[in-house]
Amino acid sequence: MKRSLVQLKLAGWFDHCSGMMFGRSAVDVPVEGYQYQDVYEELQKELQIPIFYDIDCGHVPPQMTLINGAYAEVQLQPQGKAVLKQTFLA
């Protein structure tokens, strides 16, 4: 995962990114004490953008549908909860 994110960063994919969201992963076994949360924390420090992870999307149920092309607004709430609002603009 770290290698893939570094490649995307070097290719410029995050140049205009205002935040990232990652779904839960079935791969959560630490490798030599390095956990997937460490990758997100390092990426957040490098890019200086908010990063949400372990959200209800992706390949691990339950999953909500994120609509390609929709604008999204995320509001962080207490205790690590968040609300995601998707809208279409004409």
Side-chain angles (χ1 to χ4, degrees):
M1 178 172 67
K2 172 76 174 187
R3 181 181 68 237
S4 297
L5 290 169
V6 167
Q7 289 174 328
L8 289 169
K9 179 181 175 271
L10 293 175
W13 283 93
F14 305 143
D15 289 351
H16 303 286
C17 186
S18 59
M20 289 188 203
M21 299 187 310
F22 293 93
R24 280 186 307 282
S25 174
V27 182
D28 61 356
V29 178
V31 176
E32 297 181 13
Y34 195 67
Q35 300 180 18
Y36 73 96
Q37 294 96 332
D38 297 328
V39 174
Y40 299 140
E41 288 176 17
E42 291 170 6
L43 187 63
Q44 189 279 326
K45 287 178 185 173
E46 283 181 46
L47 300 178
Q48 294 295 300
I49 59 172
I51 294 181
F52 298 89
Y53 59 91
D54 289 341
I55 66 171
D56 292 337
C57 76
H59 301 284
V60 179
Q63 309 108 312
M64 69 176 148
T65 301
L66 299 177
I67 302 168
N68 190 19
Y71 288 84
E73 180 181 321
V74 179
Q75 294 178 344
L76 187 61
Q77 297 182 337
Q79 298 160 343
K81 303 287 183 184
V83 173
L84 171 70
K85 179 181 176 184
Q86 298 179 81
T87 57
F88 292 101
L89 300 178

